[in-house]
């Protein structure tokens, strides 16, 4: 976790993610990435030169049926408030709409609920657990399925809701989050689409490339974030999203 702390602190500084007095809502799904993010941010907060407060927000897609007790206990141990927001997202996606490719709509609905809860709690920033591998995978997803060269930014200001999204794990690899999460209370992902998505296909595609050319994923990531090598990581320090 120490190595991840260092990378998170570097990302917070390099991409100017913080302002003094920020209250950050961590989107806490209970998965490995969000738990690692919360843990790292809580540790960095103790010595970071720019002070900030944390609150963890979990969106219960099953309208109160998800057992977050271990997650809440873990948050309490970190001294972080844990807010659970009930929603009917799973029912809407899989029973009402019967979505075959639900990921995009699901993500949009979860982000909407998270942002609304963050605003209600007086948060200025929302932190998401997207890591270095997600950055590269998103680029390939956009290229393969949308015919455009695009990926997310480290910092995105959401104009319509007046809140800023930050991604402090942008320099951390998935392999690092997997290792760090082994001692954390990771929740099982009950989503029927888990491991059967376009993102999973791209993940396996990149893993195949990595096997044949070791270090390829790291080089791709560096190519994306290096401003002298690309213009894909648009407005690296601060992007504006009007959606």
């Amino acid at each position: 976790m120490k190595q991840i702390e260092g990378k998170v602190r570097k990302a917070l500084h390099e991409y100017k993610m913080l302002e003094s007095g920020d209250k950050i809502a961590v989107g806490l799904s209970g998965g490995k990435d969000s738990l690692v993010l919360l843990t790292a941010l809580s540790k960095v907060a103790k010595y970071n030169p720019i002070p900030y407060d944390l609150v963890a927000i979990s969106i219960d897609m099953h309208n109160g049926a998800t057992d977050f007790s271990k997650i809440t206990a873990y948050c309490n141990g970190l001294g972080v408030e844990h807010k659970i927001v009930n929603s009917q997202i799973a029912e809407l996606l899989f029973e009402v709409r019967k979505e075959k490719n639900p990921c995009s709509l699901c993500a949009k609905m979860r982000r909407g609920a998270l942002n609304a809860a963050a605003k209600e709690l007086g948060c200025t920033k929302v932190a998401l657990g997207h890591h270095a591998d997600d950055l590269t995978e998103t680029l390939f997803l956009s290229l393969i399925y949308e015919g455009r060269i695009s990926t997310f930014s480290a910092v995105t200001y959401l104009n319509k809701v007046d809140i800023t999204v930050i991604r402090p794990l942008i320099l951390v690899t998935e392999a690092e989050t997997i290792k760090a999460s082994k001692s954390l209370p990771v929740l099982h992902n009950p989503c029927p689409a888990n491991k059967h998505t376009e993102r999973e296909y791209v993940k396996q595609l990149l893993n195949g490339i990595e096997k044949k050319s070791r270090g390829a994923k790291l080089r791709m990531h560096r190519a994306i974030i290096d401003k002298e090598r690309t213009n894909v990581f648009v407005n690296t320090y601060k992007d504006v999203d009007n959606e």
Side-chain angles (χ1 to χ4, degrees):
M1 185 62 74
K2 279 291 184 182
Q3 185 176 9
I4 291 178
E5 283 181 50
K7 289 188 175 183
V8 165
R9 188 180 183 189
K10 179 180 179 182
L12 293 175
H13 173 74
E14 186 168 328
Y15 300 117
K16 298 178 172 59
M17 294 184 180
L18 297 176
E19 298 169 277
S20 183
D22 269 338
K23 184 176 182 180
I24 303 173
V26 179
L28 188 63
S29 67
K32 61 178 175 57
D33 301 327
S34 63
L35 278 167
V36 167
L37 172 62
L38 177 66
T39 304
L41 284 176
S42 68
K43 291 179 179 296
V44 171
K46 295 176 181 178
Y47 58 82
N48 197 62
I50 300 178
Y52 57 86
D53 294 321
L54 291 174
V55 59
I57 302 178
S58 297
I59 307 302
D60 188 346
M61 295 174 54
H62 302 276
N63 201 28
T66 306
D67 182 6
F68 282 105
S69 58
K70 291 183 179 179
I71 301 299
T72 300
Y74 184 71
C75 289
N76 291 340
L78 294 175
V80 176
E81 176 188 358
H82 185 211
K83 170 76 172 179
I84 301 172
V85 178
N86 292 334
S87 77
Q88 296 177 309
I89 295 175
E91 180 182 356
L92 177 63
L93 290 175
F94 297 108
E95 296 180 26
V96 178
R97 296 176 61 101
K98 300 184 186 301
E99 292 282 338
K100 293 182 179 180
N101 298 298
C103 297
S104 179
L105 180 57
C106 179
K108 187 172 184 179
M109 294 177 71
R110 285 187 290 113
R111 286 197 303 267
L114 173 61
N115 293 338
K119 289 293 290 184
E120 288 180 6
L121 292 171
C123 297
T124 52
K125 304 279 171 65
V126 169
L128 301 180
H130 295 135
H131 47 61
D133 292 63
D134 289 324
L135 181 72
T136 306
E137 289 165 12
T138 300
L139 174 63
F140 275 78
L141 279 165
S142 297
L143 184 61
I144 294 171
Y145 295 105
E146 300 175 359
R148 64 193 183 105
I149 299 176
S150 176
T151 190
F152 52 76
S153 296
V155 180
T156 304
Y157 174 65
L158 303 179
N159 188 52
K160 288 189 176 181
V161 294
D162 185 31
I163 204 162
T164 298
V165 174
I166 61 175
R167 295 175 170 90
L169 295 182
I170 200 75
L171 304 177
V172 178
T173 67
E174 184 171 28
E176 289 173 316
T177 68
I178 291 173
K179 182 178 180 180
S181 68
K182 289 182 178 179
S183 61
L184 303 179
V186 178
L187 284 184
H188 167 69
N189 185 355
C191 177
N194 189 33
K195 302 298 183 181
H196 302 284
T197 63
E198 293 172 347
R199 180 172 289 276
E200 182 64 22
Y201 166 73
V202 169
K203 182 187 294 291
Q204 296 307 320
L205 177 66
L206 292 174
N207 285 341
I209 294 173
E210 177 69 20
K211 286 181 181 179
K212 292 186 177 181
S213 181
R214 189 169 299 277
K217 291 200 294 184
L218 178 59
R219 291 191 292 273
M220 291 179 195
H221 178 260
R222 286 176 176 170
I224 295 170
I225 66 173
D226 189 333
K227 291 183 290 184
E228 295 183 358
R229 299 186 184 191
T230 185
N231 60 1
V232 173
F233 201 38
V234 180
N235 296 327
T236 300
Y237 294 99
K238 192 168 187 178
D239 194 10
V240 177
D241 189 342
N242 292 310
E243 293 185 1

